[in-house]
Amino acid sequence: MARCQGCHRFVKEDKEKPAVTAEIKALLPILAEGSVIEWKRVHRVPDLVYFTHERHVLGGVGCQECHGDVDQMEVLRQVSPLTMGWCLQCHKAKQAQRPAELAKLSDCLTCHK
Amino acid sequence: MTDPSEKVLSRRTFLKIAGAAGVGVTAGCSPQAATQKVIPFLIPPEDIVPGTPLYYRSVCRECSASCGLTARTREGRVVKLEGNPEDPIGGGALCARGQAALQGLYAPDRFKGPMRLGSDGKLTPISWDEAEDQLGKALAAANQKGPGAIRMISRPEPGSAGSLQTAFLRAVGARSEDRIVFDPLDPAPLRAAGGVLFGRPEVPVYDLTKARSIVCFGAEIVETWVSPVEYARQLAAGRGRVGEERTRLTWVGPRLSLTGYSADSWMRARAGGELAVALGLLRWLADPAHETTNLAREVRLLFPQLARLDPAELSRRADVPWTQIELLAKELASRRPSALLGPGLSSQGEDATQLAAVVMLINLALGNLGQSVWYGLDPRKDPSSSLAEVESLLADMSAGRVEVLFVHHADPVGALPAVAGAADALGKVPLVVSFGGRPDATTSHARLVLPDHHPLEAWGDASPRLGVVNLCQPAMTPLADTRAASQVLLEVGAKLPSLAAHFPWPDFYEYTQARSETYAMLALGKFPDLVSVQRDALQRGGYYSFKLPAPTDVPELLAGAADAFLRLPSSSLRGSELDLVIFPTVLRGDGRSAELPWLREVPDTVSTVSWSPWAELSPTTAKRLGVVTGDVVAVSTSAGKTEVPAYVYPGLRNDAVALPVGFPATAVLPAARDALSGAFAFRSARAAVSPTGRRVNLPLLEGSPYQHGREILGTVSAAAPVVHRPDLSARMYKEPEHPLHRWGMVIDLDKCTGCSACIVACFAENNVPVMGPEAAVKGRYMGWIRMERYLGEEPGDALDVNMLPMLCQQCTNAPCEPVCPVYATYHTAEGLNAQVYNRCVGTRYCSNNCPYKVRTFNWRDAQFAAPLNMQLNPDVTVRSRGVMEKCTFCVQRIRFGENQARNEHRLVRDGEVTPACAQTCPAKAIVFGDLKDSDSSVARLSREGRGFRALEDLNTQPAITYLARVREKEEQ
C-alpha cells in the first residue's frame, strides 16, 4: 500500500464507473488507519509445487493464458484448473519448440525440488 | 505363441486398479476447499524482497579464530551461514562449529528475557528495568566493600566489548586482575615461550603455504588449534599433487587424531614424550657433525648444552626409535622452509612451555621465523588468563571475597575439571550475573540472567590479528527480549550517579562506531568521509589491511633464554596405569557444555560415535582388559572417577586411554598446570581403566572400519601416480543425453581433512532433520553426506587411514532408478539423479539397491521445535515421514544460478553455482561445476591421473570423481 500510494495518492473520478471509483477511494484511508486488507486468494498451487511468476512472465507467457480474460471480469475467478496435468500440457508444447534448451520443462525437479 | 506383453499387466495399470479401491474414500476432498487469505504489508520492510536472499557480513564467535562470515537471510530470518571470501582468516570457508552457530540462534532453550532466581530456586522473568536496577544497587553496595568484590569472567573479547568491559570494571572500582578471560583452548604456552625466548609474549601467525614440511607436536591444526580454518586452507594449498613439492605433514603424539589423518607419517611418541622428540630433533640439527646448512647461529651456539642430552635416553623417553627421529631431522634439514607447531591441547602437559620453546627453537634454527612463522602480528587484545588466575578467582569466590560476579559467555563449570570446584565456588557468590544466552552448567548457578544477543543479532567486532578487524552486525532483529551485554553495562553505568560521566555513548552501537574510527581513518583516502568508510567496511565484513610483513623483523634469541629449556625433566615412575590423553574434536570444540543438535548428530570422524562420549582404548589394551566397543569402562584417576562406553581404536598407543574434551573428562582431570605459562595441563594424569560389566548401545555410524578387500579407495604415490581404473568401455545401457549442462563434482582426498564442515553445512542448507540418539543407534543417520573412515584392509594390519566423504554419486546408470515402482527417482537432463518427494511412497527399494548407501529414509516425521523451524531453508522441501531423501547437489542453488543466468540471457558460468558443502570446505577440497564445459575446474580436475570413482567396477558411472590421496611408502 505504501509503495503504490507513494505516487497514487489521488483517485481520479471516473464518471462512467462510479462503483469502481468508490471501491478505489475506499482503499485510500487504509494506509492512514493501519487496518488490514484481506485478499481472498483465487489462484493457488499446493505447497509442494515451486512456481515462479518470473520465468513465466519473462518467458513470454501472457497473463490471459493462465488467468483468463481478467480485464473483462468484474470479480476475479479462476478459469484454469491449475492441475499438474494442465501445467504440463503447456510445458510440453513449449518444449517441443526447442527440445534441447527447454528439456527442463518436463523435468520433475523443476517444480518439485 | 501370443505376445507376452499383451498378457502382462503393466505396472501402471496394476497400481491404478489397486489404488482405485482407496480413491473412493477420499473423493470428497477438493483441492480448492479452504479459502486462503493473502494479507500484504501496508508498509513493506526496506531491502527485503520476498524470495530473494539478503546477505549480511559478520564474524563467527564460536572460537577465538574469529573467521568472517556471511549470513544469508530470507524474509528477515537468517537461514544459512557461509564464510566471508574477503576475510583473510576464513578465506570464504566456515568450519563445522561455525556452521552450527546458526542453531544457537534458534535454540528453543534460549533465555527469552531477563530472569531472576527466586526463593523457590526457579528462574522467574523480570523486566529489564528491574534487572538493571537490581544490578546497579548490588554494584553500589559491593563498591563499599573495597576492591575485588566485583569480578568478571569472560570469553576473549578482542574488540569493543572487551574494552568496554575493562572500562566498566575500572569505573566500578575493580582492579585489572578482577577481569578473567577464560579460553580453554588458549595457546598460553606459545605466548609464554615467545616471552622467554624473544621477549615477545605473543601467539605467532603461521603461514603454512610456505612450509614444505610441517611437524605437529600434538597441535590439532585442522581441528581446534588457534586458527583451524586458515591452517586447513594453507595445508591443502600444498597438497593435491604428487612429488617433492607436496607438503609433508608429520604427527607426533600418542594418539592419531583427525589432524594425524592428514599426516604422511605418525611418530608414536608416548604421552609426554613429544618434548624428548623435539629435543632430539634440535640436538641432531645443531650437531656440527651433521653439517646442517643455513642453521641459525644462535642455535649452533646452544650445541654444547644440547650435547649433554643422550640420544638413547631421549629415544627411551619418547618410546620412539632414534632412527625415526634422525629421519625426521634429516627431512627438516633438507626441506626448507618448514613449520613446527605445538603443543596442542592433547599434548599440553606440565612441560607445555618447554615444549613450545623447544619447538620454536627448531623453527628458529631452520630459518622458519619470517617465512612460515611470524611474530609481531598478535594484536595482544584481551589475552586469556592462566589457570592460576582462574583458580585464584575461584579461591576468592569460595572465601566469600566476591560479592558480584559477571559471567560473560564463559563456562568454567563445564570446561574446567570438576576438582577445580567451580560449581561450589559459584554457590558462594551472593550475586552471579550471567550474560549467557542459553542454559549451560554455569548459568544454572546464576542469580540474575541478563541474556545477551546472539552474535547474529548484535553489533561488535573482533580483531584476531593486526590488520584484521572483523565486524559483527545484526543479521536479524533479536528473537527474544535479549539485550546486548555491553548495552546493559552502558545502561547500568549511566544509572549509577558517580559513574555516569564515564560513559558518554547512548548505546553500544555508538561505542563501536566511535572505536572503529581509528581503523576507518586508515582507509580515508579512498572515500570522501568516515561514514562511507564505515559503511563499506560493514558491507565487506571488516577492515582488512592485513599483509604479511617483510621477513626482516625476525625476533632474536635473548642471551641465555634457551638454557633452561634444554634439559630433559625427570620422569615419574610408571605403574600399570595408562596415560590419560584428552583430545579436542572439531564438533566438541573446547568442551563447553551447551552443545548444539547438529554437532551431536554428526558423528565424530575418528570414532564415528555420535550423541555419546567415549573412551578410546587400543586393541591390545582392550583385549587385556577383556573389553570390546560398547562395554562401559570405569576410568579413574587421582582426581575422580567416571564411567564411559569404550571404543576400540588402533590409532592409540597401548599405554594410553583417550577421552574427548569436556564432560565426562572433566570429572577425572586433576587441576594440574604448566608452571611457566600457568596454562591448564590437559595431559598430566594417569588413569586406571577397568570394565564395569555393563554394555550400552553406542551410536556408531561405521559398519566396519576396514576395507576388507572391497577396494573402496586406494592411494597414489610418486612411483605410481595414476590410479588403476577398470575397463568400462563395454556399454550396457543407453547413454542419456545432457543437452545443456552436466553437473559434476570432484573431491580431492589429498586435501580433505575430514573436518565435517561440509556435513554440517548440508544439514543447514537442506533442512536435514536431527533424529536423536535412539535413531543413531539403529544407524538411522539422516545426513546426506557422511565421512567414511577406513583404518586399513583387515583388522590387525598396519594402520593405513583413509577418508572418503560419501554422498549421492548422482550416477548415470543409477541402480536406484529402475527399481522405484512410482518413478519418484530418475535421471535429469542435467546429470542429476532426481528424487521427487511428493511422489515417493516409501518402498525403500532404491536405498536397498544403492551400493553407496547414501539414501536416507524418513522413518519418523522430523521435529523442528520452534524457533528452529525459522532456520529452515524455504527453497528446500521439508520432507515428512515415509519419504526417501538424498543429496541433490543443492539443486535449489543450481536453479537459482540458472534463473539468474536466464534473466541475463547467458549460460551459467563456472564457479557461479556452489553447493553448500563445496562452499564451506576450509581446504577447498570439493569442486563443483559443469562437466560439459571442458574449461571448467571440475572438468579439468576429473581428467587428472589421480582420479577414480567410488566402486567404479559396478558401472554406475557416478558424476563424482575422487582424486586419490598421495601416500609415499614410509622408509623404515
Side-chain angles (χ1 to χ4, degrees):
Chain A
M1 190 50 61
R3 216 159 254 165
C4 305
Q5 285 194 17
C7 299
H8 295 283
R9 268 189 281 131
F10 304 102
V11 179
K12 182 179 167 198
E13 287 276 349
D14 188 351
K15 304 248 169 35
E16 285 153 43
K17 295 198 186 144
V20 175
T21 314
E23 282 265 6
I24 301 178
K25 273 205 173 143
L27 292 173
L28 281 177
I30 287 180
L31 181 61
E33 285 165 26
S35 51
V36 172
I37 312 175
E38 292 183 356
W39 293 102
K40 287 207 188 114
R41 191 163 184 176
V42 179
H43 296 92
R44 186 169 178 251
V45 285
D47 281 339
L48 48 83
V49 177
Y50 173 70
F51 173 77
T52 47
H53 264 106
E54 185 180 20
R55 287 269 66 81
H56 291 78
V57 170
L58 293 178
V61 178
C63 310
Q64 286 83 343
E65 283 187 48
C66 308
H67 295 289
D69 283 329
V70 181
D71 48 342
Q72 308 295 332
M73 293 180 196
E74 279 281 326
V75 176
L76 197 72
R77 61 178 198 289
Q78 186 180 329
V79 296
S80 317
L82 297 185
T83 52
M84 177 168 156
W86 175 81
C87 294
L88 274 183
Q89 211 183 8
C90 184
H91 274 210
K92 290 229 164 87
K94 299 275 186 210
Q95 190 184 339
Q97 294 167 14
R98 285 175 293 159
E101 207 189 312
L102 298 176
K104 235 185 290 185
L105 286 183
S106 52
D107 188 6
C108 307
L109 268 190
T110 301
C111 309
H112 294 295
K113 61 176 165 90
Chain B
M1 192 157 131
T2 48
D3 183 353
S5 66
E6 281 175 19
K7 290 280 195 178
V8 168
L9 201 58
S10 83
R11 185 167 70 183
R12 255 263 159 97
T13 319
F14 166 71
L15 282 171
K16 265 196 212 158
I17 298 169
V23 161
V25 180
T26 55
C29 304
S30 103
Q32 309 293 342
T35 318
Q36 251 199 358
K37 296 266 173 66
V38 179
I39 301 174
F41 278 117
L42 284 185
I43 304 169
E46 294 262 353
D47 301 326
I48 295 179
V49 176
T52 311
L54 197 56
Y55 298 88
Y56 289 92
R57 291 267 166 91
S58 187
V59 59
C60 175
R61 302 308 309 276
E62 296 300 301
C63 80
S64 306
S66 305
C67 301
L69 64 75
T70 308
R72 188 173 91 221
T73 67
R74 279 288 298 271
E75 287 89 51
R77 310 181 311 277
V78 186
V79 289
K80 180 75 168 47
L81 299 178
E82 320 286 2
N84 178 359
E86 296 191 59
D87 161 49
I89 295 172
L94 212 57
C95 73
R97 283 176 296 141
Q99 286 287 343
L102 193 48
Q103 280 203 318
L105 173 63
Y106 294 116
D109 60 358
R110 266 182 86 184
F111 292 118
K112 303 282 187 296
M115 300 191 143
R116 168 168 49 214
L117 192 70
S119 45
D120 57 353
K122 288 213 186 70
L123 285 170
T124 45
I126 51 173
S127 73
W128 275 106
D129 286 333
E130 269 184 77
E132 287 181 359
D133 268 340
Q134 182 186 344
L135 182 54
K137 290 202 183 84
L139 285 172
N143 228 346
Q144 311 297 324
K145 303 243 165 94
I150 301 171
R151 310 273 184 117
M152 177 183 280
I153 181 167
S154 162
R155 72 178 168 196
E157 287 283 1
S160 301
S163 75
L164 182 65
Q165 284 174 4
T166 314
F168 177 83
L169 284 175
R170 207 180 320 125
V172 294
R175 310 157 297 188
S176 58
E177 60 262 37
D178 290 338
R179 181 169 174 270
I180 296 288
V181 180
F182 183 65
D183 181 11
L185 292 175
D186 178 54
L190 271 183
R191 216 178 277 119
V196 175
L197 291 178
F198 311 119
R200 304 259 213 140
E202 17 174 297
V203 178
V205 166
Y206 295 91
D207 182 10
L208 301 179
T209 56
K210 296 284 186 305
R212 295 187 62 207
S213 268
I214 303 173
V215 183
C216 287
F217 290 86
E220 308 92 354
I221 58 172
V222 299
E223 300 169 72
T224 53
W225 200 72
V226 185
S227 193
V229 174
E230 194 181 11
Y231 301 149
R233 182 178 72 253
Q234 291 171 345
L235 174 64
R239 292 279 171 97
R241 62 190 83 148
V242 182
E244 282 303 300
E245 285 316 302
R246 179 175 176 274
T247 308
R248 280 187 56 86
L249 175 67
T250 304
W251 174 259
V252 180
R255 174 183 181 266
L256 194 62
S257 72
L258 188 64
T259 308
Y261 283 4
S262 294
D264 300 288
S265 75
W266 174 26
M267 191 175 274
R268 288 175 206 229
R270 173 179 288 143
E274 299 94 343
L275 178 60
V277 172
L279 283 168
L281 288 172
L282 188 61
R283 187 193 190 284
W284 194 98
L285 289 168
D287 191 339
H290 299 137
E291 295 176 334
T292 312
T293 53
N294 290 331
L295 197 73
R297 205 186 122 268
E298 307 136 289
V299 176
R300 256 191 232 287
L301 295 174
L302 296 175
F303 185 66
Q305 297 178 64
L306 286 164
R308 288 189 222 132
L309 295 165
D310 175 22
E313 172 66 15
L314 292 173
S315 163
R316 202 184 56 77
R317 267 307 183 84
D319 196 23
V320 170
W322 179 252
T323 45
Q324 264 190 41
I325 299 178
E326 205 170 19
L327 210 60
L328 181 57
K330 282 185 187 150
E331 177 190 317
L332 290 172
S334 58
R335 292 175 71 88
R336 315 271 269 265
S338 54
L340 291 98
L341 307 115
L345 191 148
S346 53
S347 54
Q348 189 167 295
E350 284 156 310
D351 55 5
T353 303
Q354 186 179 3
L355 178 56
V358 178
V359 168
M360 200 49 76
L361 283 170
I362 307 176
N363 279 320
L364 178 69
L366 296 170
N368 296 335
L369 296 186
Q371 302 230 48
S372 57
V373 182
W374 293 88
Y375 277 87
L377 293 169
D378 187 343
R380 298 203 216 179
K381 284 198 176 107
D382 227 23
S384 293
S385 309
S386 64
L387 177 69
E389 290 171 287
V390 176
E391 285 183 330
S392 157
L393 169 66
L394 293 177
D396 283 346
M397 282 158 62
S398 298
R401 274 174 251 158
V402 180
E403 293 293 315
V404 180
L405 177 71
F406 290 99
V407 179
H408 179 79
H409 302 292
D411 184 15
V413 178
L416 281 175
V419 292
D424 291 332
L426 280 168
K428 298 268 173 38
V429 178
L431 182 61
V432 177
V433 182
S434 170
F435 292 119
R438 289 178 64 211
D440 62 27
T442 301
T443 61
S444 57
H445 297 273
R447 303 287 163 98
L448 198 58
V449 173
L450 306 175
D452 192 6
H453 289 324
H454 189 272
L456 289 169
E457 299 168 331
W459 292 100
D461 47 53
S463 179
R465 69 183 58 148
L466 282 181
V468 179
V469 181
N470 274 321
L471 297 174
C472 194
Q473 67 169 323
M476 66 184 282
T477 49
L479 276 174
D481 186 20
T482 53
R483 195 170 283 193
S486 307
Q487 180 71 14
V488 173
L489 291 179
L490 278 174
E491 288 173 359
V492 170
K495 282 187 189 152
L496 292 172
S498 54
L499 301 172
H502 291 278
F503 304 105
W505 309 279
D507 62 40
F508 185 54
Y509 171 67
E510 295 295 326
Y511 181 77
T512 57
Q513 292 301 94
R515 273 188 94 245
S516 77
E517 277 177 17
T518 36
Y519 319 120
M521 297 289 257
L522 298 169
L524 203 49
K526 294 181 235 143
F527 291 90
D529 55 31
L530 266 185
V531 176
S532 315
V533 179
Q534 289 170 329
R535 204 144 283 171
D536 175 67
L538 268 179
Q539 262 201 324
R540 295 178 63 202
Y543 297 91
Y544 304 123
S545 55
F546 173 72
K547 273 182 293 288
L548 281 172
T552 43
D553 179 27
V554 174
E556 286 186 3
L557 186 60
L558 299 174
D563 298 351
F565 297 128
L566 302 179
R567 290 174 219 127
L568 196 59
S570 54
S571 68
S572 44
L573 288 168
R574 300 171 55 85
S576 60
E577 293 173 318
L578 303 167
D579 289 322
L580 181 61
V581 175
I582 306 293
F583 58 93
T585 72
V586 271
L587 299 168
R588 281 174 160 244
D590 61 6
R592 66 183 74 170
S593 56
E595 269 193 47
L596 298 162
W598 287 334
L599 297 176
R600 306 186 88 173
E601 175 85 352
V602 174
D604 173 59
T605 306
V606 170
S607 62
T608 74
V609 173
S610 58
W611 291 103
S612 166
W614 68 97
E616 289 174 2
L617 294 166
S618 77
T620 313
T621 316
K623 192 151 170 226
R624 177 169 62 80
L625 295 170
V627 154
V628 294
T629 297
D631 286 343
V632 177
V633 291
V635 178
S636 62
T637 65
S638 54
K641 182 175 166 186
T642 189
E643 293 186 350
V644 197
Y647 178 77
V648 179
Y649 179 46
L652 186 64
R653 280 178 61 99
N654 294 333
D655 56 8
V657 57
L659 284 177
V661 76
F663 186 76
T666 47
V668 299
L669 276 174
R673 65 179 105 121
D674 163 50
L676 279 167
S677 65
F680 180 55
F682 283 95
R683 195 232 357 106
S684 63
R686 299 250 164 78
V689 178
S690 56
T692 57
R694 290 197 328 272
R695 259 192 81 78
V696 289
N697 271 328
L698 197 58
L700 276 180
L701 188 65
E702 65 187 359
S704 163
Y706 296 97
Q707 294 200 46
H708 297 294
R710 287 176 285 174
E711 292 177 13
I712 298 171
L713 34 63
T715 53
V716 292
S717 61
V722 175
V723 179
H724 167 73
R725 310 280 291 270
D727 175 18
L728 298 170
S729 49
R731 291 265 175 252
M732 232 166 86
Y733 304 104
K734 181 163 146 300
E735 285 292 306
E737 285 175 17
H738 305 106
L740 268 187
H741 302 290
R742 188 179 179 179
W743 303 112
M745 194 184 261
V746 166
I747 302 182
D748 193 338
L749 298 178
D750 205 32
K751 298 189 179 198
C752 174
T753 59
C755 71
S756 306
C758 52
I759 304 180
V760 184
C762 180
F763 267 82
E765 171 79 15
N766 294 297
N767 306 336
V768 182
V770 166
M771 287 320 224
E774 298 90 2
V777 165
K778 292 184 191 145
R780 288 177 180 176
Y781 164 73
M782 289 301 294
W784 290 2
I785 178 169
R786 65 172 187 273
M787 197 59 65
E788 295 268 304
R789 184 269 290 119
Y790 295 102
L791 296 172
E793 267 302 302
E794 299 287 345
D797 284 356
L799 214 54
D800 179 23
V801 184
N802 281 296
M803 293 180 292
L804 186 72
M806 178 50 62
L807 55 153
C808 172
Q809 304 284 298
Q810 315 284 351
C811 309
T812 314
N813 297 334
C816 58
E817 288 166 13
V819 294
C820 175
V822 293
Y823 200 72
T825 182
Y826 66 97
H827 191 77
T828 70
E830 292 187 342
L832 297 179
N833 171 272
Q835 175 73 29
V836 185
Y837 306 120
N838 46 308
R839 211 171 154 93
C840 174
V841 287
T843 358
R844 307 188 295 281
Y845 199 157
C846 53
S847 170
N848 203 35
N849 235 26
C850 174
Y852 309 103
K853 289 291 174 279
V854 285
R855 284 172 157 275
T856 60
F857 185 69
N858 284 279
W859 292 97
R860 299 202 314 256
D861 263 327
Q863 302 292 322
F864 295 98
L868 277 172
N869 56 347
M870 288 173 80
Q871 183 275 323
L872 292 172
N873 187 349
D875 289 329
V876 178
T877 312
V878 178
R879 287 77 59 187
S880 62
R881 184 181 58 193
V883 160
M884 192 64 83
E885 62 183 52
K886 67 176 187 67
C887 168
T888 58
F889 271 1
C890 281
V891 68
Q892 66 278 6
R893 292 183 177 213
I894 297 175
R895 288 280 175 263
F896 191 80
E898 287 176 341
N899 200 39
Q900 303 271 68
R902 221 36 160 108
N903 287 345
E904 294 165 23
H905 306 290
R906 56 169 176 81
L907 285 175
V908 180
R909 288 184 216 116
D910 185 32
E912 211 182 336
V913 173
T914 325
C917 52
Q919 186 172 33
T920 203
C921 177
K924 314 240 186 290
I926 306 180
V927 179
F928 178 83
D930 186 0
L931 288 169
K932 285 198 77 161
D933 176 6
S934 51
D935 290 327
S936 66
S937 327
V938 73
R940 275 185 295 109
L941 286 169
S942 64
R943 293 192 287 260
E944 273 201 21
R946 284 190 299 132
F948 69 96
R949 304 246 162 93
L951 301 179
E952 196 160 11
D953 46 355
L954 293 178
N955 196 26
T956 51
Q957 302 282 350
I960 300 183
T961 306
Y962 291 94
L963 298 181
R965 178 70 199 280
V966 178
R967 180 159 277 132
E968 306 294 340
K969 284 282 160 279
E970 277 190 43
E971 307 155 35
Q972 288 302 322

